[in-house]
């Protein structure tokens, strides 16, 4: 469904490229200041079924909430996209947020590629690489929870593997490469050669409650079970690395057992 972009993106050259469209927002690839510096644009179009004043307030709240969470995570050393700009008081409604472009691939695609490699190559090597990848994911989620943030939608589509070549000295992003070249390079490399970046914080909240963090892990566990059953057995490495990297991890993992039991009861009762 075509959507008119807000200024200053309506007349950007080259035209922003639509990547994904969700229930609340659309994600575009565009550029920031220079054509050679790509970035991601998250645009929340106005909801015509809502009263304009209510819609404006909700849009403002959601954009600011997501931006503040990303800034907090970035400041605390969690690997997330940097915020470059945002706006919400526009003619016609809606709001937008401009973010750093993350080179690499989503974990969902990485695991699908790994499954193909497992079928044609060394199963033992695949197992070692999968274990390392799972541990990276566990440490990344542990670091997120350690700073008091719950993602709210932890799936393999909201985790990315960024090649280390895209990371500069001092933890700053080294800039921009050719996306196709980066993807090709990463497809040929092992899972050890990269870092996990968490994306899409539209449902994120700041909390210290172990229950919320346990639900975060449960959502990720269910995502592995339904989308990547061949890697589900390795999820225990996610939990192990999570418990080792996060000081409060053992309490959260104990609470996760309770969340699992409630989930099973719901499944049995329909």
């Amino acid at each position: 469904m075509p959507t008119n972009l807000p200024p200053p993106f309506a007349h950007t050259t080259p035209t922003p490229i639509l990547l994904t469209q969700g229930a609340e927002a659309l994600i575009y690839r565009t550029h920031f200041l220079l054509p050679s510096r790509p970035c991601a644009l998250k645009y929340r179009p106005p909801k015509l079924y809502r009263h304009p004043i209510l819609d404006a307030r909700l849009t403002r709240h959601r954009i600011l909430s997501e931006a503040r969470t990303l800034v907090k995570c970035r400041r605390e050393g969690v690997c997330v996209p940097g915020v470059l700009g945002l706006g919400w008081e526009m003619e016609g409604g809606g709001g937008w947020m401009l973010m750093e472009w993350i080179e690499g691939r989503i974990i969902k695609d990485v695991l699908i590629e790994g499954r193909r490699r497992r079928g044609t190559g060394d199963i033992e090597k695949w197992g070692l690489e999968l274990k390392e990848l799972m541990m990276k994911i566990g440490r990344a989620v542990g670091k997120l929870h350690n700073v008091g943030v719950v993602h709210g939608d932890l799936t393999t589509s909201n985790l990315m593997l960024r090649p280390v070549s895209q990371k500069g000295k001092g933890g700053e992003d080294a800039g921009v490469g050719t996306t196709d070249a980066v993807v090709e390079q990463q497809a040929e490399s092992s899972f050890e050669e990269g870092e996990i970046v968490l994306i899409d914080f539209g449902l994120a909240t700041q909390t210290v409650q172990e229950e919320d963090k346990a639900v975060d892990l449960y959502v990720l566990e269910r995502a592995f079970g339904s989308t990547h059953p061949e890697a589900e057995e390795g999820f225990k490495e996610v939990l192990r690395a999570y418990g080792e990297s996060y000081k409060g991890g053992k309490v959260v993992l104990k609470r996760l057992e309770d969340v699992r039991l409630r989930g099973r009861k719901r499944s049995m009762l329909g």
Side-chain angles (χ1 to χ4, degrees), residues 48-103:
L48 301 181
Y49 57 82
R50 283 199 293 244
H51 190 282
I53 295 178
L54 175 61
D55 186 56
R57 287 177 178 172
L58 286 173
T59 299
R60 177 180 182 274
H61 169 75
R62 288 169 179 170
I63 287 178
L64 284 175
S65 177
E66 183 171 2
R68 285 168 178 156
T69 302
L70 286 171
V71 170
K72 173 184 173 67
C73 289
R74 187 87 167 186
R75 185 175 60 242
E76 299 289 344
V78 181
C79 289
V80 300
V83 177
L84 303 176
L86 52 105
W88 58 86
E89 293 181 352
M90 302 177 299
E91 184 178 352
W96 57 271
M97 181 166 61
L98 206 61
M99 295 170 287
E100 166 198 2
W101 180 261
I102 304 297
E103 297 285 10

Side-chain angles (χ1 to χ4, degrees), residues 161-190:
L161 184 64
R162 173 167 57 188
V164 290
S165 60
Q166 298 301 307
K167 194 76 172 174
K169 295 181 180 180
E172 295 299 324
D173 296 293
V176 183
T178 303
T179 303
D180 293 340
V182 171
V183 170
E184 183 178 351
Q185 169 195 348
Q186 193 170 359
E188 296 174 352
S189 64
S190 67

Side-chain angles (χ1 to χ4, degrees), residues 72-73 76 78 137-154 198 201 204-220 238-239 242-243 245-249 252-253 256:
K72 173 184 173 67
C73 289
E76 299 289 344
V78 181
I137 293 173
R139 288 191 288 265
V141 177
K143 198 168 189 177
L144 178 72
H145 287 177
N146 189 52
V147 302
V149 174
V150 166
H151 187 278
D153 189 23
L154 271 181
L198 296 101
F201 280 70
T205 55
Q206 299 188 37
T207 177
V208 295
Q209 298 298 319
E210 287 83 7
E211 174 78 10
D212 297 330
K213 297 173 183 179
V215 171
D216 228 17
L217 288 174
Y218 182 67
V219 170
L220 182 60
V238 173
L239 300 181
Y242 175 87
S245 64
Y246 169 36
K247 187 167 62 174
V252 176
L253 292 176
L256 174 61

